[in-house]
Structures are given as structure tokens and as C-alpha cells.
Amino acid sequence: MPGILMDETPLQVAIVGGGITGVVLAVGLLHRKVNFTIYERSRSLREVGAGIGFTPNAERAMKILDSRIHGIFKGISTRNAEDWFQWVDGYNHDRSNPHNTSEDLIFKLYLGERGFEGCRRQDFLEGLMKLIPKDNMKFGKSIDSVVDPGDEGRILLSFQDGTTAEADIVIGCDGIRSKMRQIILGDDNPASYPSYTHKFAFRGLVPMEKARALLGDHIVSTRFMHLGQNAHALTFPVAMGTVMNVVAFATDPNDWDAKDGKFTAPAKRSEAVEAFAAFGPAVRAIMSLLPEELDKWAIFDTHDNPVSTYVHGRLCLAGDAAHAAAPHHGAGAGYGVEDALVLATLMKAVGETTGCTRAEMIRLALATYNDVRYERTQWLVDSSRVVGELFEWQDQSCGSDREKFGPEIEWRSRHIWDYNVDQMVQNALVQFWQEVVS
């Protein structure tokens, strides 16, 4: 390992975006005594969406980043009644018994003890924010431009309110509609913009007492994926079992054409009911429980025009800004946690390592980050498209064949869940030190 660098100027990291990836990264940097500032475009931090789950690999990454992150998640996550993820046939049903909400089991996969639990996004973000000093957060900062002089000078960030800031490294954690992605790749590059997957989702939270009364304990108390033709629905408990989170996906042959350019549009419960009208009694009952006024979320990703690199000089991308995936694996946020772990580890190493200039060390560190993370994260983008089709019986090789579905889902899930995050960290450090020495 190279020696210790005595530098009176502390390393300064700018994090653009205060979503889960950005805030988790900030906590990891704070834990490693690396200076940072989060620049968030909104006037206050809030997470869009309803419930969120984290796969076992993400929980292991949380523990290494800062055990307090994992403690916050476990403190607000809702334990599933069973430690199994279950995929059920939500479509075929006994039409002679229209009130029977039982569903045939297609496949189930062991999650490990207390694996893949869920919470409300906002609860998790608020818990994390309590760990971050207020002086490290700047709100109302919408990034306009970033200039990396490419020498020993600091990077200049300019914001739309006319203010500026400086940093040694800029990390874009600004989500699927990332401005930092446009800055790094160029406004004319198709990869700077996400593409519509031709699926949308109705999202809602249902009071548990209402859900239990209509569906019974079995469906509402653990994680279920209800499969069917051209649509599927995910349900799991959140808010310590007081609420059931519902995400109901449907295939859309049309282009997404929201007039305001947003990826969400107002919807009525009747639209969800209509989209799942051919499904069985259980899924139709779930749709009937949704609030009258809903948002319809267009599912966009970076599959059609993949980001070719997450790094340019001393600028980089993380989380959805780098590799936005459809949510069908439930692993996108967890991959952002993995990104944050590698970046926090390497930023600490930059601050402690000698052998070349700081600017060059940062470039080497970010190149290492790209090498360590690119293949795994791009695989998730691709696989998320595949499983979205599997869940809706659209995959040509599998269709609705249960015997083929199980093995396909298992290897893809295990590729995510069983990942060795400790080895990932070690590989990143070894590669970085080798690059510095060479």
C-alpha cells in the first residue's frame, strides 16, 4: 500500500442530488471523515414513490458504509411474515367461485432471515438526514454547468440561481433524469436521456386493516408478485405492518406522451381496475383498494441507449444517474448503495495515498470505480427488462411455463442477492493502489 499523503488542503467532494444514493454516499463519506457537500435542486429533501425494499446484498453494503445506515433501515422496515419471496398466478382463477382470493404458487425463493424487507422511502431518507450536518446540505441548487480544468485547479460548479461552488470531485446522484449525465456525455448524445420501456405502474398505499379484511392475512403479510398476461402487481407490507404497498404494472403499446414532460401522470382508480379486469379475484380486490386519485408512473430506463462510461475526468455518475433500471428486480436503490460504498472507499483512499498528484489520483480512483461497477450495473439494466417480460408472460422462451420460470428467476435473483460486497471493496482498493504505483 502506498504511503500517507500530508496535504493541508482537505479533499472536497460535491454530491449533486439528495436522493437515497446521494444521501447514503454522504453518510459513508462522513463516516470516513471525507469532506462533502450535497447540492439538491428542490427546496427540501423528499423521496418520490411510496415503498422501497432492499435486497440482501444492499443490506451488507449498508453495514460496511456505516452500520447506522443499516440500523435506520432495520428500525423502520417491516418484517415479512415469511422469509420467502413468492411468485403467484394472479391471472388464472376458478370463475365458478368469484370470491376465492387464493392464488396458485408458481415459485418461491428463500430470502434469508429478514431478507428483502420494505419501508416507506420518505421514512428512510428522513432517518438518514439526521446523520448529516445541516451545513453539508445546500437546497435550491439546480446544477447548470460543471467545468473541470483538468489540472490542479478545483472543479467549478455553476447553479441556475447564479451561485457557484468548487470541489475536487463531482459525483452525479441526480437520478434518472440526470443533468450530470448530460454534462458528462453531452446534450446531443442519446445516452444522456432515458427511454420508455412501454410499461407503467400505478402506485399506492393501502391501510392494512382494509387490505386484511378483503384479502386475509396470508396475502397482506409478506412479499408477493402476482403474475399475469401483460400486467403484474407487487405487494408487501410497510410502516411496521400498518400499510400494504402496491405497485401494479401494465404493458403500454403507446409512447409516453405527458404534455408537461414528466414521467408521472394523474390517474383514477378505475384505470387500475380496468387494466387488471381479466385477473383473478385477489388482484382485482387489490386494485379496488387503491385510493381514488392515483399517479401513473411511466417506467423509463437506460437500456436502449446505455451510458458508455460513468466517468469523465473528475466527474462521475452513480445510482440511477448512471444505470437507471426498470424496478422489476427491486434492486435499483440497492445498486446505488453498492456504488456509494465503492466511491466512499476510494475517496478515503485518495485522501490517504501518495504517489501522484491529487487530481491524477482522483482520475485513477474514478476509473477504478467505473471498472468495478460497470459490468454488474449494466447487467441489472438488461435483466430488469427480461424479468419484466417474464412476470407478464411475454418472454418467448418461457411464456407462462412454470417449470421454466423458476430456474430463470432464481439465477437472476441470486446474481444480485449473493454478491460479495466485501470482495468488491477489496478489488477496488487493490486496483487503485496498483494504478497509483504504476
Side-chain angles (χ1 to χ4, degrees), residues 7-50:
D7 192 328
E8 295 182 359
T9 306
L11 180 70
Q12 182 64 39
V13 178
I15 301 171
V16 177
I20 287 176
T21 298
V23 173
V24 165
L25 171 59
V27 175
L29 293 174
L30 185 67
H31 183 60
R32 289 159 179 77
K33 298 180 172 57
V34 177
N35 292 337
F36 68 90
T37 303
I38 298 177
Y39 298 97
E40 166 57 33
R41 64 187 170 195
S42 67
R43 295 294 174 181
S44 62
L45 268 190
R46 65 180 185 86
E47 260 291 320
V48 296

Side-chain angles (χ1 to χ4, degrees), residues 201-224:
F202 302 101
R203 295 186 180 185
L205 297 171
V206 177
M208 190 60 78
E209 63 272 15
K210 291 185 178 180
R212 184 175 287 111
L214 197 56
L215 299 166
D217 284 333
H218 179 62
I219 292 178
V220 304
S221 60
T222 196
R223 181 175 287 266
F224 278 98

Side-chain angles (χ1 to χ4, degrees), residues 305-317:
N305 298 292
V307 176
S308 58
T309 179
Y310 304 156
V311 171
H312 180 71
R314 292 182 289 168
L315 316 180
C316 82
L317 304 171

Side-chain angles (χ1 to χ4, degrees), residues 408-426:
E408 190 70 21
I409 281 298
E410 180 161 17
W411 84 259
R412 292 179 183 277
S413 299
R414 291 299 177 199
H415 183 80
I416 297 168
W417 303 350
D418 297 345
Y419 186 58
N420 190 333
V421 293
D422 296 278
Q423 189 64 54
M424 173 188 71
V425 170
Q426 187 61 30

